[in-house]
């Protein structure tokens, strides 16, 4: 290689280096910003996850502490002071309602369950469960309770068979044995009925003098 070619190559390399340094000076901040963004995002996610874990642990500890109370009224009051979010809030309300019912405060239990049942932020399965539990509470307003259970017993709803079972009990309480047996037969014949519910229904049917289907007796 001649001295002229070597000189040209050196000049060319120097020009390339100058261009590279120029690009770095002009656009290097973009790369630094990207790195800082990635590192900052990872740190923020870790901080947020840590907060979620701490909140969940604090809620769990508060629930356990409240449930350790022996007196149902005291336990219900302790559960009212528990602050929770998301699914934990729904579970807390269900526990609170159950404790209020155990303490004999049906009105408070009904209010708690109805609050959860219409909460748009609560998961649907908890809302459905709260609506069923509210309808299943003892009430002097039989007509309102029956109407609520009939709405929940519509085919396709998650607690339709359990709501139907409660309707059968309402019919029995009203002295309408025929209506109760008709409901119990529908439950017993439903393909989606659970084993436990079928056994309860069959026990009641036998107690009412209703013969069981041949498939059961065989």
């Amino acid at each position: 290689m001649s001295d002229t070619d070597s000189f040209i190559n050196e000049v060319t390399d120097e020009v390339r280096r100058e261009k590279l340094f120029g690009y770095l000076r002009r656009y290097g901040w973009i790369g630094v910003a990207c790195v800082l963004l990635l590192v900052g995002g990872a740190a923020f996610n870790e901080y947020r996850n840590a907060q979620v874990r701490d909140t969940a642990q604090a809620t769990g500890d508060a629930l356990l502490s409240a449930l350790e109370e022996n007196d149902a009224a005291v336990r219900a009051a302790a559960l009212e002071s528990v602050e929770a979010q998301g699914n934990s809030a729904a579970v807390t309300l269900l526990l609170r309602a159950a404790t209020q019912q155990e303490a004999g405060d049906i009105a408070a239990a009904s209010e708690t369950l109805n609050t959860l049942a219409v909460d748009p932020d609560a998961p649907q399965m908890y809302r459905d469960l709260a609506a069923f539990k509210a309808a299943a509470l003892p009430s002097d307003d039989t007509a309102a309770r029956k109407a609520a259970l009939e709405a929940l017993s519509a085919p396709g709803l998650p607690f339709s068979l359990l709501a139907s079972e409660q309707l059968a009990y309402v019919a029995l309480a009203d002295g309408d044995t025929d209506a109760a047996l008709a409901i119990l037969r529908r439950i017993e014949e439903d393909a989606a009925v659970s084993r436990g519910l079928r056994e309860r229904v069959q026990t009641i049917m036998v107690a009412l003098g209703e013969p069981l289907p041949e498939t059961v007796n065989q």
Side-chain angles (χ1 to χ4, degrees), residues 20-38:
L20 176 61
F21 291 144
Y23 287 139
L24 289 176
R25 285 192 295 271
R26 182 177 301 178
Y27 303 111
W29 66 271
I30 297 177
V32 174
C34 289
V35 171
L36 291 176
L37 184 62
L38 290 174

Side-chain angles (χ1 to χ4, degrees), residues 14 28 78-79 86 101 117 135 140 160 162 177 187 191 215:
E14 186 64 27
L79 285 170
Q101 182 179 2
D140 294 333
S160 61
L162 291 176
T177 304
I187 298 173
T215 55

Side-chain angles (χ1 to χ4, degrees), residues 146 150 164-187 201 204-205 208 210:
K146 185 177 180 180
E150 286 176 344
S164 296
E165 180 188 17
Q166 293 296 318
L167 282 172
Y169 298 150
V170 171
L172 285 175
D174 290 340
D176 194 344
T177 304
D178 291 339
L181 284 172
I183 296 172
L184 294 172
R185 289 191 204 98
R186 288 199 300 270
I187 298 173
V201 166
I204 298 172
M205 291 172 68
L208 295 174
E210 176 75 359

Side-chain angles (χ1 to χ4, degrees), residues 1-193:
M1 181 181 295
S2 64
D3 292 340
T4 301
D5 293 336
S6 177
F7 175 76
I8 292 173
N9 289 337
E10 290 178 2
V11 171
T12 300
D13 291 341
E14 186 64 27
V15 171
R16 288 174 178 169
R17 282 194 294 271
E18 286 295 329
K19 286 184 177 181
L20 176 61
F21 291 144
Y23 287 139
L24 289 176
R25 285 192 295 271
R26 182 177 301 178
Y27 303 111
W29 66 271
I30 297 177
V32 174
C34 289
V35 171
L36 291 176
L37 184 62
L38 290 174
V39 173
F44 175 75
N45 284 334
E46 183 60 30
Y47 172 74
R48 184 175 60 181
N49 291 336
Q51 279 192 317
V52 171
R53 287 194 299 269
D54 291 343
T55 301
Q57 183 175 355
T59 301
D61 291 343
L63 285 175
L64 289 175
S65 177
L67 292 173
E68 287 176 353
E69 298 290 346
N70 293 324
D71 186 87
V74 176
R75 191 161 63 250
L79 285 170
E80 289 182 7
S81 65
V82 176
E83 297 182 1
Q85 298 177 349
N87 291 354
S88 298
V91 173
T92 300
L93 288 175
L94 289 172
L95 289 173
R96 183 190 303 173
T99 306
Q100 290 168 334
Q101 182 179 2
E102 182 183 351
D105 195 345
I106 303 301
S110 178
E111 181 180 357
T112 300
L113 290 170
N114 286 320
T115 298
L116 176 57
V118 298
D119 184 359
D121 296 326
Q124 188 62 48
M125 63 176 182
Y126 292 120
R127 294 171 61 185
D128 292 335
L129 178 58
F132 167 70
K133 284 184 169 293
L137 287 174
S139 173
D140 294 333
D141 191 345
T142 305
R145 182 169 180 243
K146 185 177 180 180
L149 288 170
E150 286 176 344
L152 293 169
S153 66
L157 294 181
F159 297 99
S160 61
L161 293 179
L162 291 176
S164 296
E165 180 188 17
Q166 293 296 318
L167 282 172
Y169 298 150
V170 171
L172 285 175
D174 290 340
D176 194 344
T177 304
D178 291 339
L181 284 172
I183 296 172
L184 294 172
R185 289 191 204 98
R186 288 199 300 270
I187 298 173
E188 202 277 333
E189 294 170 0
D190 196 298
V193 66

